[in-house]
Every structure is written in structure tokens, then in C-alpha cells.
């Protein structure tokens, strides 16, 4: 199905028609986690958003090569060219090898991604696995005159680059403003300019992660790795580059500079960024004491929210906000979202039991088209979810005998719900831990039915009310009684 998708491009600050360089193939690179600690909620929001984009592009027929890296070296404290390597510092604190830290948190990251039903990328390269490519990229930038060496470290010459290119093209800032607002950093005396950043850093003797290079033993700069890996797997020019909005001012700005300096190409046609998280209106951060990790949300072991929320309820909550909007965590918002998720999945669960009739009283084709229109408008998942709630209303009306639907429209309704609930939004019904629960519930429903047939309405009501108190709802119709977990 050919779709005209409009994408908001950070580079141009406008919505643009999405035109892949080599349709039906699409290349997408998203900056992955630095694996020195547990994945945080901001990571989850970003990767759920790009999972949505990946799923939708695949759904409408594109062949997407999705590259999401693992940063396992070169990311210094403060996201700058000073301090210790984040992984190396953690390794010293715990008296472990750096790769033990990397392994532990990479596994943890993948576990959280699975719980949130985030599809794995096509390729997941690591920084340490591509040191050779990074060294070659540094050589090319030096050859083209945009980098210089100082005692074994290589720096990118921002002011020289800006003479022919716009260094602030992504963040919308002029070089003069950036220079004025840049504080002096440690090791600044090595650099020619205040904004110059490290491509390769000379390793101190105590530095744990280091490699030989033409300039001596050292390690790559954080910004360099993404340029090297995106170039290798997607080429110098590809379709989509994404990440959190916090990467725009420095990391992605420097990626563009590296790419243009080495091959003359801005790496991506479309730059897509997710917005930040807040808690009760305040930015989520460790310093404010209002942050929590995914497992703390799933178990309820946090001081912010009143109860635990499942991975699927969490995914649904995040998808109810547009990826470019601020997402605010709070008890009321989470509870409302959880109820909405259950309402949607309860309706979804009724689909297979619906019966077609000779007449039709609803236009499913128009609803389906509105679902596509929502996703084509910059992947607008909140509007899509609103349309799926309308589909849920229709499903409940058909189930209750208040609305008729013919066989063709019933099949279209099933296809629409399967496509958008499962394939695009990536939601799934949460299975109870006890596999025997359906059998037990069916037996209870039969007992209640027997009580009703014997005019024992007191027992019948007692069963229904008792189940409701522990979170199970019974629904009577002319077809019989069904149950679901409320």
C-alpha cells in the first residue's frame, strides 16, 4: 500500500514528505545506549518511538535496515572530552574488567527491550568492534584538513569547518553564540578553539580501554563511533538518523560535521528526535530525586507512583503521547492509561467471537483509512489510538447485539485491529502467569450459568460480584458469558 508520509525533520524544522533515497529500501540509524548502567526511562521512550517508526515503515512495505549501536567505549563523563570513560570508571569502582560491565548492562538493556516488546534492530554494532573503521575515518578527516594532532590526541577544527559549512545547521545556533556560551574545559589548552572536539584521545597509563593507532595508544571520541558505524552499514548518505532531543546540541551536531568533513555529505536526509520525560511537570533526573528505572516501575519499587505498572501498560502510556511531545509521568495519567490499555485489549479479545450478519451498519474502511492518516502524519500514535478506541466501541456494540456487521466488514475490522494494535503499536495481551487460569474461569462461568438456570440468582450475583472485586469482569450476551481481566 503506497502511503504519503510526512515526517518532522529537525534539520529543517518542518514536516516534509518522506522520500527514501532507494525505495523500497530505508536506512535508519538510532544512537543506542552507553552500557555502564541500567537502561533508564528516557532510553525506553526513545526506543519505543523508533520501534513504532520501524514497525510502521515495515508494515507499509518498506525494507528497513535499522542500525542501533551499543556504546561500549569512548563516552566520557559530562558528554565532553574530559573526565573518565563512563564504563572504565564503573569497572574500577566494582573491580571488574570493563567488558564485564558492558556484558552485564547490555544483557539488562536487551531484557528491558524484550519486556517492552521492542523489536531488535537489523544490526547492533559496538564501538569496540569498529575501532579500525574509526581510525580510518580520523585519517580521512585529517587528510581533508579539518583535524589536527596535539601530543597523540586528534581534535576536530570547528572554526575552520565553519568557514565553508554551517556547524550549527542542526541545532539552529550561530557559531558566535556557541563560542560565547561555551565554558572552558579541562585540557582546553590543547585545543585551538573552544568548540573543537576530540576524534581520538591519547590514553593515560591508567586508562583501561585503549588501542594502538597511528598517533599512539588511545581511544576514540564518543561522537566518532556513530559516524563510523552509520557509514559502514548505511553508507555516507541514508534516510533517517534518530535519538533523544538531548543529542541535538552536541552529539548529532558533531556527527554531521564529521561526515561532511570526511565525505562532503550530511549523513541523513531526515533527523528525528524524541522529547524528554517529566514527572509531575518537572524534568525527570537523578539530581531532583524523581527518576526511576524500568524495573522499579514494573515492580512498583519507586517513591513516585502509587502502584506498579506492567511493561505493556507502560508502552501504551508512552504511545499515547506524540514522540515529539514532553511525556509527563504521574499517578493519574498512568492509571488512566492503564485503564485505556485494558479497555482496548479487552475489545481486541472479543474479535474472534464476533458473528457476522447479513446487514452492515458501520464504515470500517473509513476508520481504517483514518488509522493510516494518523500514522502518515509524523507517526501520530495518539490519534491512531483514538481511532482504535472508536474501533473498540464498534466491537463492543457488535458483541452486545447493538450493531450489525457483514462478513466483509468484520474481516476488515479484524485485519485493522491486528495490523495497528499488534504490528504497528506493538501491543500484546498480558498473559496471566497461571496457564490454567482460562480453564478455571470457564469452570466458574459454567457454575454461575448453572445457578442462573436453577433460578439461584443470589449465588449467580455472588460469583459475579466476587470476581469483580478481584479484577475479573463477566459480560452476558445472547451468545453466552465471556470474561476478561479488568
Amino acid at each position: 500500500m503506497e502511503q504519503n508520509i510526512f515526517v518532522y525533520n529537525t534539520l529543517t524544522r518542518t514536516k516534509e514528505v518522506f522520500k527514501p533515497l532507494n525505495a523500497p529500501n530505508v536506512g535508519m540509524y538510532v544512537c543506542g545506549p552507553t552500557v555502564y548502567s541500567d537502561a533508564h526511562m528516557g532510553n525506553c521512550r526513545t526506543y519505543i518511538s523508533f520501534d513504532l517508526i520501524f514497525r510502521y515503515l515495515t508494515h507499509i512495505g518498506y525494507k528497513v535496515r535499522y542500525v542501533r549501536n551499543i556504546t561500549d567505549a569512548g563516552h566520557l563523563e559530562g558528554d565532553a572530552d574530559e573526565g573518565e570513560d563512563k564504563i572504565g570508571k564503573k569497572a574500577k569502582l566494582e573491580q571488574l574488567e570493563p567488558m564485564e560491565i558492558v556484558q552485564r548492562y547490555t544483557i539488562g538493556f536487551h531484557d528491558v527491550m524484550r519486556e517492552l516488546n521492542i523489536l531488535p534492530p537489523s544490526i547492533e554494532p559496538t564501538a569496540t568492534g569498529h575501532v579500525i573503521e574509526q581510525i580510518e575515518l580520523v585519517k580521512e578527516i585529517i587528510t581533508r584538513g579539518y583535524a589536527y594532532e596535539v601530543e597523540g590526541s586528534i581534535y576536530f577544527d570547528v572554526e575552520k569547518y565553519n568557514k565553508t559549512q554551517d556547524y550549527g545547521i542542526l541545532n539552529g545556533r550561530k557559531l558566535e553564540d556557541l563560542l560565547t556560551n561555551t565554558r572552558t574545559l579541562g585540557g582546553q589548552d590543547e585545543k585551538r578553539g573552544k568548540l573543537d572536539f576530540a576524534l581520538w584521545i591519547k590514553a593515560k597509563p591508567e586508562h583501561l580501554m585503549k588501542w594502538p593507532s597511528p598517533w599512539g595508544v588511545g581511544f576514540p571520541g564518543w561522537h566518532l563511533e556513530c559516524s563510523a558505524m552509520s557509514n559502514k552499514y548505511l553508507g555516507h548518505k541514508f534516510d533517517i538518523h534518530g535519538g533523544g532531543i538531548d543529542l541535538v546540541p552536541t552529539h548529532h551536531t558533531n556527527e554531521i560535521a564529521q561526515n561532511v568533513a570526511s565525505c562532503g555529505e550530511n549523513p541523513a536526509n531526515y533527523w528525528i528526535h524524541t522529547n524528554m520525560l517529566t514527572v509531575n511537570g518537572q524534568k525527570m533526573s537523578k539530581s531532583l530525586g524523581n527518576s526511576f528505572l524500568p524495573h522499579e516501575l514494573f515492580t512498583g519499587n519507586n517513591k513516585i507512583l502509587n502502584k506498579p505498572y506492567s511493561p505493556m501498560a507502560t508502552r501504551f502510556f508512552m504511545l499515547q503521547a506524540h514522540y515529539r511531545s514532553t511525556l509527563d509521568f504521574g499517578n493519574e495519567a498512568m492509571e488512566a492509561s492503564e485503564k485505556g490499555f485494558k479497555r482496548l485489549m479487552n475489545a481486541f479479545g472479543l474479535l474472534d467471537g464476533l458473528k457476522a450478519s447479513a446487514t452492515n451498519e458501520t464504515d470500517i474502511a473509513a476508520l481504517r483509512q483514518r488509522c493510516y492518516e494518523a500514522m502518515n502524519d509524523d507517526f501520530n500514535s495518539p490519534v491512531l489510538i483514538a481511532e482504535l478506541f472508536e474501533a473498540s466501541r464498534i466491537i463492543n456494540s457488535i458483541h452486545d447485539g447493538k450493531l450489525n456487521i457483514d462478513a466483509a466488514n468484520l474481516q476488515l475490522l479484524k485485519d485493522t485491529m491486528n495490523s495497528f494494535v499488534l504490528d504497528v503499536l506493538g501491543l500484546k495481551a498480558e498473559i496471566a502467569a497461571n496457564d490454567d487460569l482460562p480453564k478455571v474461569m470457564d469452570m466458574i462461568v459454567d457454575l454461575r450459568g448453572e445457578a442462573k438456570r436453577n433460578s439461584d440468582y443470589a449465588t449467580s450475583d455472588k460469583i459475579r460480584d466476587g470476581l469483580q472485586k478481584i479484577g475479573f469482569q463477566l459480560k452476558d450476551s445472547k451468545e453466552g458469558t465471556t470474561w476478561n481481566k479488568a
Side-chain angles (χ1 to χ4, degrees):
M1 178 182 293
E2 189 171 334
Q3 300 290 335
N4 220 18
I5 303 174
F6 288 83
V7 176
Y8 183 85
N9 192 349
T10 306
L11 194 67
T12 61
R13 294 160 191 81
T14 58
K15 282 185 188 178
E16 301 176 7
V17 177
F18 179 62
K19 295 180 180 177
L21 290 165
N22 187 29
N25 300 300
V26 171
M28 180 168 77
Y29 187 94
V30 175
C31 291
T34 301
V35 284
Y36 73 103
S37 63
D38 291 309
H40 55 73
M41 295 308 299
N43 294 143
C44 296
R45 201 272 171 97
T46 294
Y47 303 132
I48 284 173
S49 298
F50 284 99
D51 185 57
L52 174 75
I53 293 170
F54 180 33
R55 285 171 177 273
Y56 184 64
L57 292 176
T58 302
H59 169 70
I60 60 175
Y62 287 114
K63 297 177 181 177
V64 185
R65 176 177 286 177
Y66 176 15
V67 182
R68 187 187 68 208
N69 71 296
I70 294 286
T71 295
D72 58 354
H75 194 168
L76 303 186
E77 297 172 285
D79 298 348
D81 300 333
E82 59 176 346
E84 289 189 71
D85 180 287
K86 292 182 176 184
I87 293 165
K89 182 178 180 180
K90 190 66 173 275
K92 287 177 184 176
L93 286 172
E94 299 197 17
Q95 296 184 315
L96 296 171
E97 282 289 332
M99 283 298 121
E100 288 181 273
I101 298 296
V102 166
Q103 180 78 348
R104 177 202 302 171
Y105 291 113
T106 300
I107 290 171
F109 171 71
H110 288 152
D111 287 345
V112 171
M113 295 298 101
R114 273 192 298 275
E115 286 189 275
L116 291 166
N117 202 28
I118 294 171
L119 297 174
S122 316
I123 303 173
E124 192 173 52
T126 65
T128 56
H130 295 78
V131 173
I132 291 172
E133 288 85 354
Q134 292 173 79
I135 289 172
E136 290 303 311
L137 184 57
V138 175
K139 286 181 183 177
E140 187 62 34
I141 295 172
I142 291 173
T143 299
R144 290 173 178 255
Y146 291 108
Y148 56 92
E149 179 183 356
V150 180
E151 296 182 2
S153 291
I154 310 296
Y155 295 101
F156 189 95
D157 193 331
V158 171
E159 291 181 57
K160 182 176 181 180
Y161 171 83
N162 197 68
K163 289 178 180 177
T164 57
Q165 304 293 331
D166 181 2
Y167 175 69
I169 190 171
L170 187 67
N171 59 35
R173 302 286 299 280
K174 296 295 182 186
L175 187 71
E176 296 76 19
D177 296 334
L178 291 168
L179 285 167
T180 302
N181 294 315
T182 299
R183 64 188 177 92
T184 301
L185 301 172
Q188 190 73 57
D189 56 327
E190 286 191 350
K191 300 178 183 180
R192 293 176 184 171
K194 289 169 70 176
L195 292 174
D196 294 357
F197 58 91
L199 300 173
W200 185 266
I201 304 168
K202 181 181 179 180
K204 296 177 181 177
E206 66 272 17
H207 196 92
L208 295 177
M209 306 177 80
K210 49 197 173 186
W211 293 263
S213 79
W215 317 287
V217 176
F219 57 94
W222 173 40
H223 314 302
L224 185 72
E225 66 182 61
C226 288
S227 291
M229 289 186 280
S230 65
N231 283 351
K232 177 165 184 173
Y233 296 110
L234 298 174
H236 291 149
K237 190 78 171 178
F238 51 93
D239 298 300
I240 297 170
H241 196 314
I245 197 169
D246 57 308
L247 299 180
V248 171
T250 305
H251 185 54
H252 285 170
T253 289
N254 289 347
E255 273 194 67
I256 291 174
Q258 289 165 165
N259 236 64
V260 174
S262 63
C263 68
E265 289 276 14
N266 184 318
N269 275 345
Y270 305 91
W271 288 81
I272 300 177
H273 293 94
T274 57
N275 213 326
M276 64 180 183
L277 303 181
T278 58
V279 178
N280 297 319
Q282 283 189 306
K283 182 179 179 181
M284 181 183 282
S285 70
K286 288 181 181 179
S287 60
L288 292 174
N290 67 353
S291 66
F292 45 83
L293 297 171
H295 69 86
E296 292 171 336
L297 177 63
F298 302 156
T299 62
N301 185 25
N302 66 81
K303 298 177 181 178
I304 308 298
L305 301 172
N306 293 335
K307 54 177 277 191
Y309 291 93
S310 69
M312 280 301 98
T314 301
R315 181 182 177 102
F316 183 77
F317 170 71
M318 290 189 172
L319 291 170
Q320 277 197 298
H322 190 268
Y323 75 87
R324 286 195 290 115
S325 302
T326 301
L327 178 64
D328 188 58
F329 277 88
N331 283 301
E332 288 185 12
M334 285 295 293
E335 286 179 18
S337 187
E338 182 182 55
K339 288 177 182 175
F341 168 67
K342 289 179 178 179
R343 189 164 78 250
L344 177 64
M345 297 313 294
N346 287 342
F348 184 83
L350 296 175
L351 270 173
D352 287 341
L354 297 184
K355 299 291 191 293
S357 62
T359 58
N360 182 64
E361 298 173 341
T362 186
D363 188 353
I364 303 302
L367 185 146
R368 182 181 179 87
Q369 183 55 35
R370 292 196 302 272
C371 290
Y372 280 108
E373 287 170 0
M375 287 302 293
N376 292 342
D377 183 14
D378 196 25
F379 312 105
N380 200 323
S381 56
V383 173
L384 170 61
I385 288 170
E387 294 296 343
L388 294 176
F389 277 138
E390 171 60 14
S392 298
R393 185 195 64 77
I394 292 169
I395 290 168
N396 287 322
S397 295
I398 296 167
H399 178 268
D400 294 342
K402 298 174 182 176
L403 193 67
N404 292 323
I405 189 168
D406 62 24
N409 275 284
L410 178 56
Q411 188 57 51
L412 190 61
L413 179 60
K414 290 180 178 180
D415 291 346
T416 299
M417 290 294 282
N418 277 291
S419 293
F420 286 99
V421 174
L422 303 183
D423 298 345
V424 175
L425 292 179
L427 299 172
K428 59 182 181 180
E430 294 177 307
I431 308 300
N434 188 346
D435 292 336
D436 292 328
L437 180 63
K439 296 176 185 177
V440 174
M441 286 299 299
D442 287 344
M443 183 180 72
I444 293 172
V445 168
D446 287 343
L447 288 172
R448 179 171 174 266
E450 186 177 334
K452 287 178 72 176
R453 286 192 296 274
N454 294 332
S455 300
D456 185 359
Y457 299 114
T459 300
S460 169
D461 292 346
K462 187 175 181 180
I463 291 172
R464 181 197 63 207
D465 296 343
L467 287 172
Q468 194 165 9
K469 285 179 182 177
I470 60 172
F472 292 87
Q473 289 184 341
L474 299 183
K475 199 164 193 176
D476 296 319
S477 71
K478 59 184 179 182
E479 304 295 335
T481 301
T482 56
W483 64 272
N484 58 63
K485 186 79 168 71

